Amino acid sequence: MTSADAAGTGIVTDRPRPVILICATGGTIAGSAAAVDDQHYRAGVFSVETLTGAVPGLGDRVDLRTEEFFALDSVDLTLADRVRLARHLQDVLDGDDAPDGIVVTHGTDSMEETAYVLHLLLDTEVPVVLTGAMRPADDPGADGPANLADAVAVAADAAARGLGTLVVFGGQVLGARDVTKRTAGRLDAFECLHGPLGHVLEGRLVVGARPARAFGPTSAFRLSDLPDPLPAVEILVSHPEMTPALVRAVARSGAAGLVHGGPGGGNVSRPVVAMLDEAHRDGLVVVRASRLGFGPTARNGDISDDEHDWVCAGDLPPVKARVLLALALTRTRDTAELQRLFDTH
Ligand code: GLU
C-alpha cells in the first residue's frame, strides 16, 4: 500500500508516517558487559525500549512499534526457532495494519542464518532488516544505536522494497544470501563475497545492486508447506585424519543430510572421500561446501560431484548450505533437483 514519494524523502507510504516494527530477539545489541555470568557478558538483557531510547530522534520520521520475540544469545537459536520467527513475521505482514518495514535486532553470531531463513521464506515486498552490535549496549563505544538508526532508515525507505531480507551493519546494506560474519573482533564484522547491495548515506539507502537469486515471493519454499521438524542436516569440517566413526555417527543419527566443509574450494581428502561415499550409500545426502565459509565451490571442480552423486554448495558457506539443504529436502531427495535448488537460491 504505497504511494509516490512526493516529498522526496525516500519514505513511501499511504500513512502520514511509515510504521516500522522493531522485533527484538536478543544478542549483544541488547547485551550488558556488566551482567557477567560465569563465562562472559550476557546477550539479550536490555528491553527493546532501552535500545530505541538510546537512539536520539529514532521516532522522528517513523511510527515505531516494538515487540520482544526472543531474548537470546543467537548461538542458541535453532533452525526451528528461525522458522518460528519467520511464521510470526509473515502473520504480522499478512495481518490488518501491517507495518511498512520490519527491523529485527539479533545476535551477530548467527544473524546470517536467520537472515537467510527469512529471505527464503517471507513472501513479501516489505523491507525486513536485521541488525545487531559487536559491543554490548552499556559499552561506552556501543555500535548498536548507530546500527539501529540505519536499520530503521532502511526499513522505512521505499528503495529497500523488493530486496528481500537485508542485514544493515556498520553503514553497509548486505544481502541476506551472501552476508557472512567474517570476524569476531572488528565493528565491520560482516561482509558479502560479491559486495554489499548498498550503503546508508545521511540516513538514506543508496542501492548499488539487487539480489541475483530467488527469494521470498519467487522462492521454491512456502512456510505453509514446511513440515515440523525439518529434516536434520549436520555439518562436518573435515581433515584427512578425521575418524570414519564421525561420519558413520552422522549417518546413523537420523540425519537426512550432511554438509561437508572441505579446504579451499570445498576439496575432499582421499580418506574422507571413502567416508562420504559410505555415508551416501547409507542414505545421507552429501553437500560439498568450503570450510573457508567465504569462497566458491565449483561443481565437478577438483573432484567429480557427478561421480560421487554429491550436491555442490556453490558459494554458500556450510551454515547456509545447511539451511538450504534442510528446506530443499522437504521438496526432493533427487541430486539433480537439489543441485538446481542450490544453483537458484
Ligand atoms: N553470541 C552472542 C549472540 O550472537 C553475542 C554476539 C553478538 O551479538 O555480537 O547473540
Side-chain angles (χ1 to χ4, degrees):
M1 296 290 281
T2 60
S3 61
D5 178 20
T9 58
I11 298 174
V12 179
T13 178
D14 284 341
R15 295 170 165 134
R17 303 181 335 151
V19 171
I20 303 299
L21 171 67
I22 300 182
C23 174
T25 69
T28 289
I29 190 168
S32 167
V36 178
D37 60 18
D38 54 349
Q39 290 175 31
H40 45 63
Y41 78 90
R42 283 172 36 218
V45 171
F46 292 114
S47 70
V48 63
E49 281 74 26
T50 306
L51 305 191
T52 55
V55 187
L58 190 66
D60 285 358
R61 298 172 72 202
V62 300
D63 281 339
L64 291 177
R65 294 177 190 162
T66 58
E67 63 177 19
E68 279 164 32
F69 195 73
F70 299 123
L72 291 173
D73 187 318
S74 77
V75 296
D76 292 326
L77 290 176
T78 64
L79 187 49
D81 289 332
R82 301 182 214 282
V83 172
R84 205 146 67 81
L85 176 63
R87 288 191 196 285
H88 167 67
L89 295 181
Q90 189 70 60
D91 285 348
V92 168
L93 290 163
D94 292 342
D96 297 337
D97 202 26
D100 299 296
I102 295 177
V103 171
V104 178
T105 59
H106 197 289
T108 59
D109 285 348
S110 71
M111 189 183 289
E112 65 205 72
E113 288 153 84
T114 298
Y116 193 37
V117 167
L118 300 182
H119 189 60
L120 290 171
L121 295 179
L122 290 182
D123 187 3
T124 184
E125 296 286 313
V126 168
V128 177
V129 179
L130 277 75
T131 197
M134 292 299 288
R135 292 177 177 160
D138 54 359
D139 185 292
D143 52 332
N147 285 339
L148 186 57
D150 283 351
V152 168
V154 170
D157 200 312
R161 290 182 69 87
L163 295 180
T165 299
L166 302 167
V167 169
V168 169
F169 214 95
Q172 296 195 92
V173 180
L174 305 141
R177 182 187 179 275
D178 295 334
V179 67
T180 298
K181 185 174 180 181
R182 293 280 286 153
T183 167
R186 289 200 324 246
L187 294 187
D188 59 338
F190 288 90
E191 204 177 336
C192 288
L193 181 62
H194 308 292
L197 296 184
H199 292 88
V200 183
L201 192 63
E202 295 178 10
R204 294 282 298 272
L205 167 63
V206 181
V207 179
R210 306 189 73 79
R213 308 286 188 111
F215 65 91
T218 60
S219 144
F221 311 109
R222 288 283 156 265
L223 273 166
S224 51
D225 296 341
L226 294 185
D228 184 19
L230 288 172
V233 176
E234 295 292 343
I235 299 173
L236 283 178
V237 172
S238 94
H239 56 90
E241 294 144 295
M242 186 163 72
T243 172
L246 210 49
V247 186
R248 280 187 204 125
V250 174
R252 290 167 195 172
S253 69
L258 170 64
V259 177
H260 173 267
N267 290 318
V268 191
S269 54
R270 285 172 205 283
V272 177
V273 171
M275 298 177 209
L276 296 184
D277 282 345
E278 182 188 320
H280 188 48
R281 281 195 301 276
D282 285 347
L284 270 186
V285 170
V286 175
V287 171
R288 192 170 62 82
S290 168
R291 71 182 186 188
L292 291 174
F294 200 70
T297 302
R299 186 166 176 88
N300 297 323
D302 286 4
I303 190 159
S304 170
D305 294 293
D306 286 346
E307 189 184 326
H308 298 279
D309 198 33
W310 295 332
V311 177
C312 172
D315 54 16
L316 279 186
V319 290
K320 284 185 174 167
R322 174 175 178 266
V323 166
L324 182 55
L325 184 58
L327 294 176
L329 284 170
T330 68
R331 300 284 310 268
T332 182
R333 286 185 56 88
D334 177 72
T335 307
E337 180 58 8
L338 288 168
Q339 187 66 62
R340 192 190 66 75
L341 291 168
F342 268 77
D343 290 344
T344 52
H345 286 76

